[in-house]
Amino acid sequence: KVLVEFLNLAGVEPLPARAASVLLAFEVSDGAPEAVFVPAGFQVGGPSADGSGALVVFETERPLFAAPVGIAAMHVQQGHVFQAVEPQSTSDAAPFLPFGPSAIPGSALWIGLAGDVVPGPTLSLGIRVTAPPGAPPPVPAGGVMPLPVPPPPTLRWEVLDGTSSTPADVVIDETGGLLRSGIVELQLPRRWRLGSPEGLSAEQPLHWLRLRIVHGQYPASPQLSFVQLNVTRATATRTIRDEVLESVPNSDGRRWRLSPATRSWMSVRG
């Protein structure tokens, strides 16, 4: 208690409580004729980890077009050299360098998507960056705040439409140019034909997505542990609609009672 009071006098206060936030990945059946629209506020839930049997509900923050496709291949390109990277879908996978060890302008990461449906109109990817630059040193060494880092190089997302590259506009980039983990949402062009990158002998044509360094350079090449499709952010909250309020007797219509289920949920959140 003395330490807490001392920190308060020094202007150091604990961060306010906030709801937990997670990245959710949606899987779509291969037989789906098109991308499935998942609206903002879509609820998913499961039992809590403490074994109490309480239901933990998360709501998606943004709408998502979940495409019935999967990552079939990934390649790192440096000059005319392609190096295959094993597609990763779990956070405990071994990290890889998306632009190679040097990460100079022209280096690129190719992501090949397999499926019978053309993704669109948007595509959302979840990316996990391991050891992001500027991470603070351990607390015993005095590290409490992230260190300043130089701005990232200019990156460009493109799709390979047959044999030509077409820009894919970035709707949102939580990674800040692969400086931290987050979601990248792309606005795809209307036409995206199958193809193969020049210089890469692919077994079958795929829908290829390319992330390329246009200008600048990283002080140290970023490392990724996974890249996954159809990912959106969700928050531990629950919206209750069509609630029927019950007037409290002798309150002159100024007090209303919520249903037992709503009161229980509000108690759990509190």
Side-chain angles (χ1 to χ4, degrees):
K1 187 178 188 316
V2 174
L3 175 60
V4 172
E5 294 297 334
F6 176 79
L7 293 175
N8 288 338
L9 291 175
V12 180
E13 298 180 355
L15 295 174
R18 58 181 181 179
S21 179
V22 298
L23 298 182
L24 290 180
F26 288 82
E27 294 185 3
V28 184
S29 171
D30 296 336
E34 59 184 7
V36 178
F37 178 70
V38 181
F42 183 85
Q43 295 182 349
V44 298
S48 61
D50 58 6
S52 63
L55 180 66
V56 180
V57 178
F58 285 81
E59 288 188 359
T60 57
E61 297 180 2
R62 293 177 53 84
L64 167 73
F65 283 93
V69 297
I71 298 178
M74 290 199 303
H75 293 269
V76 176
Q77 180 185 9
Q78 288 193 305
H80 298 286
V81 178
F82 288 83
Q83 180 180 359
V85 176
E86 186 69 23
Q88 310 287 4
S89 60
T90 58
S91 58
D92 57 352
F96 65 95
L97 303 176
F99 303 118
S102 56
I104 60 176
S107 301
L109 173 66
W110 289 89
I111 304 174
L113 309 182
D116 298 330
V117 177
V118 180
T122 61
L123 184 67
S124 181
L125 301 98
I127 300 175
R128 185 174 188 273
V129 179
T130 60
V139 173
V144 293
M145 293 293 291
L147 301 175
V149 295
T154 302
L155 306 180
R156 179 174 298 168
W157 288 90
E158 301 167 314
V159 301
L160 182 63
D161 180 30
T163 57
S164 60
S165 297
T166 303
D169 296 331
V170 178
V171 179
I172 183 174
D173 182 8
E174 296 181 351
T175 70
L178 299 190
L179 294 182
R180 53 188 175 270
S181 303
I183 294 174
V184 175
E185 183 179 335
L186 305 175
Q187 182 71 42
L188 301 176
R190 294 185 177 181
R191 188 175 67 173
W192 188 1
R193 293 171 295 180
L194 299 172
S196 297
E198 183 179 358
L200 177 63
S201 55
E203 296 182 357
Q204 61 178 355
L206 301 171
H207 289 107
W208 286 98
L209 184 68
R210 178 171 67 175
L211 175 59
R212 179 166 57 96
I213 299 179
V214 179
H215 176 73
Q217 189 171 353
Y218 289 97
S221 184
Q223 297 184 26
L224 308 183
S225 61
F226 76 81
V227 178
Q228 194 164 354
L229 297 177
N230 304 329
V231 177
T232 187
R233 187 172 296 278
T235 306
T237 185
R238 182 179 181 182
T239 302
I240 299 178
R241 297 177 173 86
D242 301 326
E243 173 74 12
V244 178
L245 301 180
E246 179 184 352
S247 177
V248 176
N250 302 323
S251 64
D252 298 330
R254 297 180 181 180
R255 298 178 60 189
W256 300 82
R257 182 180 290 112
L258 300 175
S259 65
T262 305
R263 292 199 303 271
S264 173
W265 172 250
M266 293 180 66
S267 175
V268 170
R269 289 190 58 191

